[in-house]
Amino acid sequence: MNPEHNEIVRDEVLKEDAFMPIETKHKEDDVLRDRGIWYNLLTSFKENKLAMFCLCFLIIIIIASILAPLSPHDPDKMDLLNKLAPMSKEHFLGTDGLGRDYFTRALYGGRVSLVVGLFSMMVAIVFGTLYGTISGYIGGTVDNLMMRAADIFMSVPSFLLIIIINSLLSPSMTTMIVIIGMFSWMGVARIVRAETMSLKERDFVLVAKNLGAGSFRIIFNHIIPNMIPSIIVAASISIARAILTESSLSFLGFGVQLPMSSWGSMLQSAQEHIMDVPSLALYPGLLILLTVLSFNVLGDVLRNALEPKLVK
Amino acid sequence: MNNILEVKNLQVSYHTYAGEVKAVRGVDFSVSEGETLAIVGESGCGKTVSAKAVMGLIQTPGVIKEGSEINYGGKNLVAQPESEWEKYRGGECAMIFQDALAALNPTLSVGKQIAENLIIHRNCNKREAMEKAVELLEKVGIPEADKRVKQYPHEFSGGMRQRVMIAIALACNPKIIIADEPTTALDVTIQAQILELLKELQKELKTSIILITHDLGVVADMADQIAVMYSGKIIEKGSGRDIFYHPRHPYTWSLLNAVPRLDGDRKKNLVSIEGTPPDLLLELKGCPFVERCAHCMNICTRQAPPTFTFENEHRATCWLHHEKVQGEYPFETGGALCVEKA
Amino acid sequence: MCGKSIIEEPVLQVNHLKKYFPMGKGQILKAVDDVSFEIGKGKTLGLVGESGCGKTTCGRTCTGLYSKTSGEVLFKGQDVHKLRGKDRKAFTKSVQTIFQDPYASLDPRMKVSELVTEGLRIHNMISNKKEEQERAQELLRLVGLQAEHANRYIHEFSGGQRQRIGIARALAIEPEFIVCDEPISALDVSIQAQIVNLLKEMQAKMDLTYLFVAHDLSMVRHISDQVAVMYLGKIVELTTSDELYSHPVHPYTQALLSAIPIPDPDVEKKRERIVLTGDVPSPISPPPGCRFCSRCKYATEQCFEEEPEMKKIGPEHYVACHLCK
């Protein structure tokens, strides 16, 4: 040990009160705390540059879509004299084959894609969670029947069915949301059911039963809150998939009807000009890619932030 | 006696989300041939981490800090490359884990798992190794060993699995066996069996054992040396008798009195140590036990205590043994032969 | 010992309780097989046995968490398993459990204040958030924690502190009877003593009745008035604490006591240990006759054929063994 240290020790020993007994303090120092989800989220974003980028991108896209009407152009106004114009001051991303402002159309298209993605995800999550929890919690024959029903839904070639139903019904955003939601809850239900099965055997659920809690209380106060991380991951996948499905439908012409635009339908009309103006396909394609990627990345970050963590 | 393993100033840290956890903060101990060293302490005191360090099993986010020494066979293992460790691990020094079910591979028959060790370290061929495996199973008291050698871990009961673990550890005649809470997961009647077995095997094979446990009762009959750990440090070390009959650290004393005894007074309240151990994320200024100590003094909060050495290599790290301390204590104080600075 | 109660004011009477679990393929796991005991008001019965002997199942069947196969559990004269609706709710208010694992038995998504007051909310004993906070702080102080801990999450606490929170939650609805299901076996030695002392203090303060389930005879001795030793679903010996430790009669009890290590090298060296050979047989196919016969060194032919009955061999001392007359 260094001499400096020894000197400090000697000084301490020589202090008059050094060996006076004192009362023990059982102090509870708050070194480790869970600062809660917001703190965790903030640190994850600080550390994870990709997540930060995805978040910024989504915020910009969402705000831009909401503010779409502020654009000086009418998305549906054709100007055949000015078709396929390149980027310019007036037309930020140029114009499409019918001379419509491409930037404005992309903004309006974003509205459709995001709304369809968000709401069909909600339909799938709410229904899937309820279905899965009930099936897993009750168990036995009910569980068996419910899961086989879900299996049947899963085995149906859903995309074809969506196309058929969509062409029978009057195509609108609402029908699209309902239909996409209808065919994407099974994955959620499966995850939720498996989690419920394991959670319902956990000690804290037994404790709640012991305290006299009913099934309703146990499901909503103990089981569902503990599944939230998994549900968030399922939701982020589901929203991404819904946006893709919507785009594919619109691309095939079964989605939103003209003259309304969506990213998928923009891709479709870009087909004709793919050889001479490839940028027309590039923009909506890039938007779909980045939005879907962002939702997936954010889902992961959010799930991580929700895990209990201790920090100094 | 010559020490076969010497650990000096061992420091292990884990880098976690919340910061650097200093799990082991400068630990010294040594084991001589045929001796049993017991490391006793509560969960989180660093006893298992120390054992893992000696086995070279510290993995990221954990690191053995510079300045640590693990001397075996004239070499400081900390500085050696992984290949040197591989020779030493399993061959020279073997470990028995607490949870045998988790430590055994469920997809391999127990015979193969024992033989594996022999094939790696002793260049046996498969047949020899399997024959040796049967022998080993017989040695650890498994009936019908020639049949059971082909069975899988889940076909064994808890006590039998722990016997298999011991057989695997013994396979290469190691010089040192590290037993990490070998009986904690077992029932008392089975625990007694396993302890008997360890004692017999030690007598026969002259192996050194490092026994890691939280239960002072378990070590009473077994340990030659006992080291008591608290928040990453050894706070008292001595022969088994010294620790049990002349504890010199208030923590050891309270621990001995917190264990209910079958021959004690039933109605008497147990001595409980209030509070909880300090967080290992913290830099400790004074004595780590200060918040829970019933005999705390001013200096304890200000300066880490030095180690006082008494007769028979009995050491205690506590200010109460300083010559200036006066007062009545339920355990012996003062009378140190020499002092090492903290 | 069956039929009429022998003690005044029994809080819990268990008569010939059986709990079997079907294991498929026609196999039956007899977790609790014909168990009878009773606990008087303000007393503690320790239920001791090795893992898999059915002690936890027995505790859970007594609180109505598990249904029974046959027999009856009477709580203050009412059959626990026949209670419905209002009566059932009233019963859940007067019986509580403290669980073994303080990590698994507390919901990680809830704040401490929500955890300890959950029972109060279920039984409509508090009306608003403010009251909830006040009660939570009061309860935390009662079990030796600080009021400020109310707004923290459970993973910020150590094992001992968590177990205190578990105790606070059980005490919140002011129960009369608590099943302590190995409340200390997951804790460190120095913390175990804290929790046992706390449980004793609470018992004295609130006149609680405990069923203390444990595998550790030494700690049970400190808290129990009576001790029942279980082996493979059956009680083999039931007597007062002092009697059990001074005059254990059943060979299994003797072995169990002898297996406990004593933290004293001299005593330990002198002591003659009874080390049982073999393992506990599977409860799925227990041997006929006495369940312990496969490991008992005194076993006679009778033990292998005939199941021993509970016999009274002294005041408050019951044993199921052919060898004691």
Side-chain angles (χ1 to χ4, degrees):
Chain A
M1 281 295 152
N2 52 20
E4 214 174 294
H5 180 82
N6 283 346
E7 244 163 64
I8 300 171
V9 174
R10 200 172 55 226
D11 287 352
E12 285 290 346
V13 171
L14 288 177
K15 275 188 194 161
E16 218 164 273
D17 63 342
F19 293 99
M20 294 278 282
I22 55 169
E23 199 144 313
T24 326
K25 282 177 288 186
H26 308 300
K27 82 168 193 291
E28 298 283 346
D29 34 20
D30 290 6
V31 264
L32 283 189
R33 291 297 313 267
D34 190 333
R35 298 283 173 78
I37 173 181
W38 295 114
Y39 180 90
N40 288 341
L41 261 183
L42 206 73
T43 35
S44 337
F45 279 126
K46 263 187 210 155
E47 281 167 18
N48 191 340
K49 291 284 168 289
L50 177 67
M52 196 69 191
F53 170 78
C54 291
L55 181 74
C56 293
F57 177 78
L58 276 186
I59 289 175
I60 291 169
I61 287 286
I62 290 168
I63 291 177
S65 307
I66 292 169
L67 299 181
L70 292 182
S71 159
H73 301 279
D74 181 339
D76 303 331
K77 195 179 157 235
M78 288 184 268
D79 181 3
L80 289 172
L81 293 174
N82 203 7
K83 69 175 188 179
L84 297 175
M87 282 188 197
S88 64
K89 238 183 206 163
E90 201 186 339
H91 298 290
F92 189 56
L93 294 178
T95 58
D96 68 358
L98 294 171
R100 296 174 291 200
D101 181 55
Y102 215 54
F103 181 66
T104 314
R105 276 187 79 74
L107 292 184
Y108 277 93
R111 284 182 147 193
V112 174
S113 292
L114 288 174
V115 165
V116 170
L118 215 67
F119 281 93
S120 53
M121 176 272 284
M122 265 150 65
V123 171
I125 289 294
V126 170
F127 188 71
T129 306
L130 284 177
Y131 193 92
T133 346
I134 292 168
S135 175
Y137 191 78
I138 296 174
T141 324
V142 178
D143 176 44
N144 242 325
L145 284 176
M146 285 177 85
M147 277 299 118
R148 291 302 80 74
D151 284 348
I152 291 171
F153 258 85
M154 265 188 157
S155 341
V156 170
S158 56
F159 198 72
L160 263 174
L161 212 66
I162 291 175
I163 291 176
I164 294 166
I165 297 176
N166 217 5
S167 54
L168 289 178
L169 298 170
S170 61
S172 72
M173 243 160 58
T174 330
T175 45
M176 204 139 70
I177 287 168
V178 173
I179 291 169
I180 295 178
M182 241 173 71
F183 286 97
S184 53
W185 57 268
M186 296 82 71
V188 182
R190 281 199 155 203
I191 297 170
V192 164
R193 170 186 170 264
E195 289 256 325
T196 308
M197 301 270 270
S198 88
L199 281 169
K200 76 171 178 182
E201 299 297 332
R202 294 273 286 278
D203 275 2
F204 61 80
V205 171
L206 278 182
V207 172
K209 269 189 200 163
N210 217 332
L211 283 163
S215 301
F216 193 77
R217 188 183 191 96
I218 288 174
I219 289 178
F220 283 95
N221 282 12
H222 294 285
I223 291 184
I224 292 185
N226 277 289
M227 292 192 304
I228 283 176
S230 319
I231 294 179
I232 282 180
V233 174
S236 71
I237 294 171
S238 163
I239 200 171
R241 199 183 286 158
I243 290 174
L244 286 177
T245 314
E246 187 276 332
S247 305
S248 317
L249 280 177
S250 300
F251 180 78
L252 294 173
F254 295 100
V256 285
Q257 295 304 296
L258 294 171
M260 239 174 127
S261 70
S262 92
W263 291 338
S265 64
M266 283 166 77
L267 266 182
Q268 185 207 19
S269 34
Q271 264 187 114
E272 308 163 27
H273 312 288
I274 192 85
M275 294 319 263
D276 28 305
V277 198
S279 62
L280 283 187
L282 185 71
Y283 298 131
L286 213 58
L287 281 170
I288 294 172
L289 177 90
L290 286 176
T291 313
V292 168
L293 181 79
S294 300
F295 274 116
N296 278 331
V297 170
L298 285 187
D300 231 31
V301 171
L302 203 59
R303 187 204 54 172
N304 247 325
L306 276 169
E307 292 297 332
K309 269 197 198 83
L310 295 176
V311 283
K312 245 190 223 181
Chain B
M1 276 210 265
N2 52 332
N3 293 334
I4 52 172
L5 178 79
E6 254 182 12
V7 174
K8 276 187 193 157
N9 192 27
L10 178 68
Q11 295 181 54
V12 184
S13 286
Y14 283 86
H15 296 281
T16 67
Y17 186 80
E20 184 186 351
V21 177
K22 293 188 180 124
V24 179
R25 310 176 170 212
V27 159
D28 306 277
F29 60 83
S30 57
V31 195
S32 53
E33 211 177 295
E35 183 190 61
T36 304
L37 167 77
I39 301 179
V40 183
E42 294 180 72
S43 53
C45 76
K47 55 188 193 300
T48 299
V49 178
S50 308
K52 278 191 177 164
V54 172
M55 281 295 285
L57 293 175
I58 300 287
Q59 281 166 339
T60 41
V63 280
I64 298 182
K65 290 235 232 162
E66 245 174 77
S68 310
E69 281 180 44
I70 299 171
N71 294 320
Y72 178 85
K75 273 187 244 169
N76 178 12
L77 289 171
V78 177
Q80 300 297 321
E82 181 62 23
S83 59
E84 199 66 31
W85 275 109
E86 272 164 18
K87 254 185 260 164
Y88 158 83
R89 226 180 293 165
E92 307 288 321
C93 179
M95 192 154 175
I96 301 168
F97 293 90
Q98 173 179 355
D99 186 353
L101 187 59
L104 292 169
N105 184 345
T107 59
L108 280 179
S109 70
V110 299
K112 277 195 186 138
Q113 295 188 52
I114 300 171
E116 199 182 18
N117 221 342
L118 289 163
I119 294 167
I120 297 170
H121 292 286
R122 293 289 178 266
N123 296 323
C124 293
N125 65 32
K126 260 192 184 157
R127 255 201 43 214
E128 278 168 19
M130 279 313 251
E131 275 165 21
K132 187 88 197 293
V134 176
E135 233 171 80
L136 280 162
L137 285 183
E138 267 166 11
K139 196 180 238 169
V140 296
I142 292 181
E144 296 175 39
D146 50 336
K147 275 187 203 136
R148 304 217 69 173
V149 75
K150 293 190 195 87
Q151 290 184 328
Y152 290 85
H154 67 266
E155 294 171 84
F156 288 75
S157 67
M160 284 296 162
R161 256 182 242 133
Q162 201 55 278
R163 284 170 192 268
V164 172
M165 281 296 299
I166 294 174
I168 293 177
L170 287 178
C172 296
N173 273 327
K175 299 254 168 49
I176 307 165
I177 290 182
I178 299 177
D180 184 9
E181 308 247 9
T183 59
T184 309
L186 304 173
D187 284 312
V188 267
T189 57
I190 311 293
Q191 171 177 320
Q193 291 175 7
I194 298 291
L195 289 176
E196 283 298 312
L197 175 71
L198 275 177
K199 262 187 269 178
E200 272 167 37
L201 289 172
Q202 188 183 23
K203 221 181 266 171
E204 193 187 320
L205 303 170
K206 304 269 180 295
T207 331
S208 307
I209 296 182
I210 300 178
L211 180 67
I212 290 163
T213 179
H214 67 272
D215 188 347
L216 273 165
V218 167
V219 302
D221 194 18
M222 259 191 99
D224 303 306
Q225 295 282 321
I226 297 177
V228 182
M229 275 189 88
Y230 190 78
S231 62
K233 283 181 177 167
I234 290 181
I235 49 119
E236 185 167 2
K237 192 166 72 179
S239 70
R241 295 192 60 86
D242 278 341
I243 297 286
F244 279 103
Y245 297 123
H246 311 286
R248 283 184 175 271
H249 195 286
Y251 176 66
T252 317
W253 180 83
S254 339
L255 210 55
L256 280 167
N257 284 280
V259 185
R261 291 181 55 152
L262 290 177
D263 47 356
D265 182 9
R266 184 169 86 76
K267 294 280 188 293
K268 201 175 72 185
N269 257 10
L270 295 167
V271 174
S272 71
I273 310 174
E274 293 304 324
T276 42
D279 206 291
L280 294 170
L281 274 165
L282 293 178
E283 208 49 70
L284 294 172
K285 192 172 166 240
C287 171
F289 190 55
V290 65
E291 282 166 38
R292 304 174 75 190
C293 183
H295 313 288
C296 170
M297 298 177 296
N298 271 318
I299 194 165
C300 305
T301 60
R302 296 173 190 156
Q303 190 62 49
T307 303
F308 294 85
T309 308
F310 307 89
E311 278 169 19
N312 201 3
E313 287 293 293
H314 184 181
R315 291 157 199 267
T317 309
C318 177
W319 278 116
L320 285 172
H321 300 295
H322 197 272
E323 54 195 13
K324 285 169 86 178
V325 173
Q326 287 160 350
E328 295 272 316
Y329 295 96
F331 42 86
E332 287 167 56
T333 54
L337 299 176
C338 71
V339 186
E340 254 168 66
K341 285 285 172 278
Chain C
M1 94 145 286
C2 27
K4 275 261 161 65
S5 154
I6 47 156
I7 40 176
E8 281 173 47
E9 248 196 297
V11 171
L12 189 82
Q13 276 177 284
V14 175
N15 296 325
H16 301 291
L17 181 70
K18 288 181 187 177
K19 173 69 191 169
Y20 297 168
F21 292 100
M23 299 297 287
K25 292 183 202 155
Q27 285 183 313
I28 293 169
L29 188 146
K30 297 182 176 177
V32 179
D33 199 6
D34 201 356
V35 160
S36 306
F37 58 84
E38 48 192 29
I39 314 173
K41 184 146 185 62
K43 299 285 183 206
T44 303
L45 175 82
L47 193 58
V48 184
E50 293 179 88
S51 54
C53 75
K55 54 191 193 301
T56 296
T57 310
C58 183
R60 289 188 177 173
T61 316
C62 288
T63 57
L65 264 181
Y66 290 165
S67 61
K68 64 182 178 190
T69 305
S70 72
E72 56 179 1
V73 180
L74 302 177
F75 177 73
K76 292 164 115 189
Q78 286 176 301
D79 190 331
V80 168
H81 294 97
K82 287 196 181 123
L83 296 172
R84 291 290 173 270
K86 245 192 197 158
D87 293 337
R88 165 103 197 132
K89 191 123 185 172
F91 168 71
T92 57
K93 193 183 160 303
S94 34
V95 175
Q96 273 309 301
T97 308
I98 296 166
F99 285 80
Q100 170 178 10
D101 187 349
Y103 293 81
S105 62
L106 299 164
D107 189 336
R109 300 264 161 213
M110 285 176 126
K111 281 192 176 158
V112 170
S113 59
E114 292 168 336
L115 274 169
V116 295
T117 54
E118 185 173 24
L120 297 171
R121 281 195 303 278
I122 291 169
H123 294 283
N124 297 321
M125 289 159 79
I126 42 170
S127 45
N128 55 40
K129 274 268 168 209
K130 197 173 150 250
E131 213 176 316
E132 177 187 301
Q133 275 291 328
E134 279 167 15
R135 280 293 286 151
Q137 297 186 357
E138 214 174 285
L139 284 160
L140 289 177
R141 273 195 293 267
L142 181 73
V143 296
L145 292 171
Q146 290 169 8
E148 301 88 75
H149 290 158
N151 285 320
R152 295 172 55 171
Y153 285 97
I154 202 66
H155 57 271
E156 297 172 33
F157 295 89
S158 68
Q161 289 172 321
R162 287 180 205 209
Q163 200 55 290
R164 284 172 190 266
I165 292 167
I167 293 172
R169 172 175 59 188
L171 294 176
I173 52 176
E174 289 160 18
E176 294 168 54
F177 174 60
I178 298 183
V179 175
C180 307
D181 187 0
E182 305 210 35
I184 52 166
S185 55
L187 304 175
D188 275 312
V189 185
S190 74
I191 312 289
Q192 285 186 354
Q194 288 178 17
I195 298 296
V196 167
N197 287 345
L198 175 69
L199 284 171
K200 278 171 103 171
E201 189 194 320
M202 291 301 134
Q203 181 167 40
K205 215 183 255 180
M206 303 168 77
D207 199 18
L208 296 166
T209 308
Y210 289 147
L211 173 64
F212 195 92
V213 178
H215 66 259
D216 178 357
L217 268 170
S218 50
M219 223 21 134
V220 165
R221 177 167 176 268
H222 266 265
I223 192 163
S224 309
D225 301 289
Q226 275 193 308
V227 179
V229 180
M230 262 183 106
Y231 188 78
L232 274 186
K234 288 203 176 268
I235 291 182
V236 295
E237 187 159 3
L238 170 66
T239 181
T240 60
S241 259
D242 293 319
E243 176 81 3
L244 186 89
Y245 291 90
S246 51
H247 304 291
V249 173
H250 198 281
Y252 178 63
T253 316
Q254 291 171 354
L256 212 53
L257 280 171
S258 144
I260 299 171
I262 293 176
D264 191 326
D266 284 346
V267 176
E268 191 71 11
K269 282 219 168 69
K270 266 184 248 152
R271 184 157 88 119
E272 255 183 64
R273 275 222 182 146
I274 311 169
V275 177
L276 287 181
T277 51
D279 287 309
V280 186
S282 157
I284 296 174
S285 50
C290 175
R291 301 256 162 120
F292 186 57
C293 64
S294 61
R295 297 173 82 192
C296 180
K297 60 177 175 182
Y298 309 108
T300 62
E301 230 167 80
Q302 190 192 12
C303 302
F304 284 93
E305 283 154 11
E306 215 178 295
E307 220 174 288
E309 295 261 321
M310 256 321 205
K311 273 178 296 200
K312 185 170 182 170
I313 58 155
E316 295 185 60
H317 197 158
Y318 302 86
V319 178
C321 180
H322 288 305
L323 294 161
C324 20
K325 296 283 179 288

